[in-house]
Amino acid sequence: MGVDVLALLAEMPLLKDVEVEQLAALDIRANLRNLDSGQILFDQADQSRDVYFLVSGRLLVVHWTEDGREMVFGRIDVRTHLGELAAIDNGKRSLSVYAHREAQMLVLSQSDLQSLMVNVPVV
């Protein structure tokens, strides 16, 4: 039996007031993605536009200095979303995010986020 990705997405705090039926009616398509410990989700200056919701595990937000040092800016908690600024303003990622330990997340495309923002005012 597979995971009901839309139901899982509807449980995330950003979308807590959105019904699964609304997500389905808008043809929202989120995907699950797994990261191994140490795997990079996205790097600073990356031009990706996806939005992520951490389902399990732990992510670190870091800045890599020119001499290779890691400056930790924060930790991402389960059920937190990240990456929405690049999806909204089309800017580059300002920091890197990687899995501090194995992690699973929902991935939402920029176009799906924009569809939610236009069609579901509570978002």
Side-chain angles (χ1 to χ4, degrees):
M1 175 186 248
V3 174
D4 185 345
V5 175
L6 290 183
L8 190 57
L9 187 62
E11 293 174 6
M12 296 296 143
L14 180 67
L15 302 173
K16 69 181 174 70
D17 296 322
V18 181
E19 299 293 327
V20 173
E21 295 77 16
Q22 287 177 288
L23 297 173
L26 291 171
D27 199 27
I28 301 300
R29 297 177 185 264
N31 297 303
L32 283 172
R33 178 173 174 193
N34 295 311
L35 292 178
D36 293 327
S37 181
Q39 189 175 353
I40 294 176
L41 178 60
F42 57 79
D43 211 351
Q44 57 203 46
D46 187 9
Q47 295 190 19
S48 64
R49 303 287 181 258
D50 291 332
V51 179
Y52 304 93
F53 298 83
L54 185 59
V55 176
S56 65
R58 168 152 306 157
L59 301 176
L60 291 181
V61 180
V62 301
H63 173 75
W64 304 104
T65 65
E66 288 185 22
D67 62 357
R69 289 183 301 132
E70 173 186 282
M71 297 177 63
V72 177
F73 275 76
R75 291 169 178 76
I76 303 296
D77 294 323
V78 170
R79 298 174 46 91
T80 300
H81 64 277
L82 63 147
E84 74 284 356
L85 292 179
I88 293 169
D89 71 7
N90 286 317
K92 294 178 182 176
R93 306 287 187 178
S94 56
L95 296 167
S96 297
V97 175
Y98 76 93
H100 186 244
R101 60 178 173 236
E102 287 184 358
Q104 183 178 57
M105 66 213 54
L106 286 165
V107 182
L108 187 67
S109 71
Q110 178 184 36
S111 61
D112 280 345
L113 177 67
Q114 290 172 342
S115 177
L116 283 168
M117 290 176 15
V118 168
N119 294 296
V120 184
V122 71
V123 174

